Amino acid sequence: MADAQQIPAANRIATAHAMIERYNAQDADGYVALMTEGACEATYRGAVLREGREGVRSGLKAIFAEFPGNRAEILTSYALGDTVVLHEKVARSPEAEPFEVMSIYSFSDDKVDRVEFIR
């Protein structure tokens, strides 16, 4: 495992932004390609929502099927060590009321190992 300081913060921010680009393109396969095999998505300090690459992939595909107009806009990005935090505005459809989310991306080397959501 590489030292967290050896991978520049800008690279980690770029990876998190690439995940949002793939999310907005409804590309579940491309999204999970940036994650570790055992990655998960969870509520902040809470329950795991989607576990492993396959769990994340199938969960995203279900979201994309239910909300084909779903989009996330990155408002602000922060990086410290092996963690990236994105402040996002998400709308399930162009007509839906948007909501804000803080997403915390934890990295293992250059891949995302966990994403936690604060809403």
Side-chain angles (χ1 to χ4, degrees):
M1 181 183 289
D3 183 325
Q5 299 307 316
Q6 293 176 339
I7 299 172
N11 291 12
R12 289 202 167 95
I13 288 175
T15 297
H17 281 231
M19 290 178 77
I20 296 300
E21 288 170 12
R22 291 168 181 185
Y23 178 88
N24 286 338
Q26 298 199 351
D27 177 6
D29 295 327
Y31 182 96
V32 300
L34 298 171
M35 302 179 93
T36 64
E37 195 63 43
C40 69
E41 293 186 328
T43 59
Y44 179 66
R45 298 178 61 161
V48 171
L49 304 170
R50 294 173 279 281
E51 193 160 0
R53 271 190 188 161
E54 290 310 310
V56 173
R57 182 189 335 268
S58 64
L60 287 177
K61 286 185 176 191
I63 289 170
F64 299 156
E66 184 176 356
F67 304 106
N70 190 63
R71 293 204 41 86
E73 174 189 355
I74 300 168
L75 302 176
T76 311
S77 307
Y78 303 94
L80 182 62
D82 64 354
T83 303
V84 170
V85 177
L86 300 182
H87 178 194
E88 304 169 33
K89 183 166 54 172
V90 179
R92 295 294 187 203
S93 72
E95 304 79 31
E97 183 70 30
F99 57 91
E100 292 186 26
V101 174
M102 296 294 284
S103 300
I104 304 164
Y105 295 76
S106 299
F107 283 76
S108 178
D109 293 327
D110 63 343
K111 299 275 187 184
V112 173
D113 192 54
R114 183 177 180 94
V115 182
E116 292 182 279
F117 303 104
I118 302 170
R119 181 174 169 191

